Amino acid sequence: MSVFVANELASILDSKISIGRINIGLLNRIIIDDSQMLDQQKKQMLNVSRISVKINLLALANGQIEITSAQFFGLNANLYKATPEAKPNFQFVIDSLASKDTTKQQTPINLQINSLIIRNSSVRYRVLSRASEPQRFSPDDIEARNISAHFIVNRITNDSLNVKVKRLSLNERCGFALRRLALNAVVSRSGAKIEKFRLELPESVVESKRIVATYSMKGDMPDMQTLRFEGSLNAPCITPSDVACFVPKLRNLDMPLALSIDFNGTGSRLNVNDLNISTADHGFVLKANAHAKRNRHTTWHAEVSKLFASGDAISKVYKLATSNELPAIVHNLGDVSLTAKADGTDADLSLNAMVGCAPGSVKLSASKQQKALHAHVETRNFALDKLLGTDKTGVVSLSVDAKGSSKDNVSASGSIYDICYNGYTYRNIDLKADYINKVLSGSMAIDDPNVRATIEGLFEPNHHAPHLRVNADVQTFVPSA
């Protein structure tokens, strides 16, 4: 029987197929041992040590395919194509199974598998003309090993899907290890939902109780105007090194994160109502929400209610990204905190933020309307000595505004209310600067009890003869002060 079945399948698929043994057991069970298929280059494409299938014959008589159980042991697939443009070595199977009669009405699909088990299996897919790197994922060289899976296919029809993934685990060539994936998925013409989602990596866990979407169909596709969705994700632990095969620089980042997010929306709107990210030692904490809407134009709003990064966390991330130590001036910032609100459209943007660090706090605001830009910086009693690491400077209080419409049209003005230098506090300094058509001009006026002066300057960076002019008018100068 095994030779007959192998020959029949070989004639249908136009390939060499061999089957070691076929046993037909009690209760409609079929066991196939040592099956093998070659591709059209006479290379082994598929081999399975054992296939065990139990079919409900009564359901089959009624036009339904109900498989009580299906088990695959030692399944090994070798899939490839010579170049990105070439056809894969399994294309002939797809072509052989495709209906040659395009006028024939498609047979409705009605499939049910009460238990599908895969053990000790592997799948390899390669683009032979492309080289791959060790410990780095490549879609051109995928090798999933030690595949172990248990699925329950409650129903698959032409327009619906109801599947439970009880367990899926595998190891990939690049070092990615999927310890467990589990979920319940239901898809129909009126909606889709995923429940009891759980993803486990060696040192990471991601969960979701429920993600659901509802919609109406427009032909064969969901009508985006009717789409409604909502869900949440919770990750009590995400270890960056678990996904280092996708982002190699994460391999040495020892900073496990916890994440939670709630979201909902429509076909034209997305709401992230609650986003929380933190490290185990709370050296990094982010709490934020965001909303975006797309009609004729995109509008969005984002709010960071808390962002905190310790100096140690900043140093770790900087060294990972650049392989260098943190610059002294950044190190002197110490722990950094931020609150911010931002709004925007396709053409406009506004931002208001408060930044806190070891030397003090800084108030920032910025806006963009079409091509017009504006920014404002304000601080009181900011410790320059802590920032610069020198005892010659002290605290500074200032307010500065800047505006412009391009890189060649920028102006700034502001006031330094007080600044301590070399033991003396200078007060009442007004500043102004313009950079227009590659010409820089500016002025400074100081009205301090011991220094009263006005300084004006102009610089024209002519390539042949750069021109610099400075005028100073000093009314009062008391050096001994």
Side-chain angles (χ1 to χ4, degrees):
M1 179 183 289
S2 60
V3 175
F4 173 77
V5 172
N7 290 338
E8 288 297 309
L9 289 173
S11 65
I12 294 172
L13 300 176
D14 190 24
S15 174
K16 183 177 180 180
I17 296 175
S18 63
I19 297 175
R21 183 174 58 183
I22 298 178
N23 290 325
I24 299 179
L26 297 175
L27 302 175
N28 310 319
R29 182 179 295 278
I30 301 174
I31 299 174
I32 303 173
D33 290 329
D34 301 325
S35 56
Q36 178 178 270
M37 176 188 293
L38 303 184
D39 61 22
Q40 294 188 318
Q41 284 71 46
K42 308 303 180 185
K43 295 181 180 179
Q44 182 173 286
M45 187 180 76
L46 180 67
N47 73 79
V48 187
S49 298
R50 169 164 286 195
I51 304 172
S52 177
V53 180
K54 187 176 180 181
I55 301 175
N56 186 332
L57 297 180
L58 182 60
L60 188 62
N62 292 326
Q64 301 178 359
I65 301 176
E66 180 179 339
I67 299 174
T68 306
S69 66
Q71 300 175 349
F72 294 82
F73 298 98
L75 183 153
N76 297 286
N78 178 35
L79 313 175
Y80 61 87
K81 54 183 180 179
T83 65
E85 298 77 22
K87 291 182 178 181
N89 68 328
F90 54 87
Q91 184 65 46
F92 74 97
V93 177
I94 299 173
D95 295 340
S96 298
L97 297 176
S99 174
K100 305 299 188 294
D101 186 355
T102 57
T103 64
K104 186 178 179 181
Q105 186 175 4
Q106 185 179 10
T107 303
I109 299 172
N110 196 339
L111 172 65
Q112 178 179 347
I113 305 176
N114 294 338
S115 178
L116 171 59
I117 294 175
I118 301 173
R119 294 285 187 269
N120 301 323
S121 298
S122 65
V123 176
R124 182 81 185 270
Y125 170 77
R126 292 169 293 163
V127 177
L128 300 180
S129 63
R130 296 277 181 88
S132 61
E133 299 179 32
Q135 296 187 317
R136 186 159 190 173
F137 177 80
S138 168
D140 296 325
D141 188 359
I142 298 173
E143 184 177 1
R145 310 164 184 150
N146 304 321
I147 299 174
S148 179
H150 183 192
F151 304 101
I152 296 175
V153 182
N154 290 323
R155 187 73 63 191
I156 295 179
T157 67
N158 294 77
D159 56 11
S160 67
L161 170 73
N162 188 330
V163 174
K164 290 183 179 180
V165 180
K166 301 287 286 184
R167 184 181 186 90
L168 171 63
S169 63
L170 59 86
N171 296 322
E172 214 279 332
R173 170 198 63 82
C174 62
F176 177 77
L178 176 60
R179 291 290 181 258
R180 185 188 178 197
L181 172 65
L183 60 90
N184 298 345
V186 178
V187 181
S188 70
R189 292 184 64 84
S190 60
K193 65 180 178 180
I194 295 176
E195 297 179 319
K196 299 180 180 179
F197 174 88
R198 184 175 176 88
L199 173 69
E200 296 179 14
L201 305 179
E203 301 293 336
S204 304
V205 175
V206 180
E207 299 174 315
S208 176
K209 291 183 178 179
R210 192 168 188 258
I211 300 174
V212 61
T214 60
Y215 47 78
S216 298
M217 297 296 291
K218 192 173 184 179
D220 293 332
M221 298 295 292
D223 182 358
M224 296 303 291
Q225 293 184 350
T226 66
L227 175 65
R228 302 288 185 274
F229 63 89
E230 63 178 353
S232 64
L233 285 173
N234 180 47
C237 182
I238 298 177
T239 301
S241 59
D242 281 345
V243 291
C245 56
F246 304 103
V247 186
K249 285 193 174 183
L250 296 178
R251 198 173 307 280
N252 297 319
L253 181 59
D254 182 21
M255 192 181 292
L257 300 170
L259 177 148
S260 66
I261 181 172
D262 292 321
F263 57 88
N264 63 61
T266 68
S268 60
R269 187 179 183 91
L270 172 63
N271 302 313
V272 178
N273 299 318
D274 195 9
L275 171 64
N276 293 282
I277 303 174
S278 63
T279 56
D281 61 357
H282 297 285
F284 175 85
V285 178
L286 171 65
K287 295 183 178 181
N289 62 76
H291 311 277
K293 186 177 182 180
R294 176 70 179 178
N295 289 320
R296 292 182 59 190
H297 304 285
T298 298
T299 60
W300 58 270
H301 169 79
E303 182 173 348
V304 178
S305 58
K306 181 177 182 179
L307 173 60
F308 172 81
S310 69
D312 184 56
I314 296 171
S315 180
K316 283 183 179 179
V317 173
Y318 183 85
K319 188 171 184 178
L320 179 74
T322 66
S323 300
N324 296 318
E325 296 296 330
L326 200 64
I329 194 169
V330 180
H331 178 270
N332 293 341
L333 291 174
D335 299 343
V336 176
S337 62
L338 176 143
T339 59
K341 292 183 180 180
D343 297 273
T345 66
D346 290 332
D348 302 334
L349 168 70
S350 67
L351 168 68
N352 291 282
M354 179 66 75
V355 180
C357 55
S361 60
V362 179
K363 183 179 179 181
L364 304 170
S365 64
S367 64
K368 172 182 176 293
Q369 294 181 331
Q370 300 298 323
K371 292 184 178 181
L373 304 174
H374 179 263
H376 175 77
V377 179
E378 184 176 343
T379 185
R380 299 281 180 173
N381 300 317
F382 190 88
L384 280 177
D385 52 343
K386 289 184 179 180
L387 178 66
L388 302 177
T390 173
D391 57 4
K392 284 187 173 292
T393 58
V395 299
V396 61
S397 298
L398 59 80
S399 176
V400 177
D401 287 277
K403 60 183 180 179
S405 57
S406 71
K407 65 179 182 179
D408 293 324
N409 185 356
V410 181
S411 62
S413 62
S415 298
I416 299 177
Y417 305 116
D418 53 69
I419 181 171
C420 182
Y421 180 76
N422 210 21
Y424 181 77
T425 300
Y426 297 87
R427 306 180 189 278
N428 305 323
I429 302 172
D430 293 328
L431 304 170
K432 185 177 180 181
D434 296 293
Y435 182 71
I436 300 174
N437 296 326
K438 299 183 179 180
V439 176
L440 177 64
S441 62
S443 64
M444 182 185 76
I446 180 169
D447 186 16
D448 183 80
N450 294 295
V451 181
R452 288 184 175 88
T454 300
I455 302 173
E456 296 178 344
L458 176 72
F459 177 66
E460 295 178 286
N462 188 294
H463 293 297
H464 300 290
H467 176 65
L468 175 64
R469 183 177 72 245
V470 177
N471 295 322
D473 180 12
V474 180
Q475 295 89 37
T476 303
F477 179 58
V478 184
S480 60

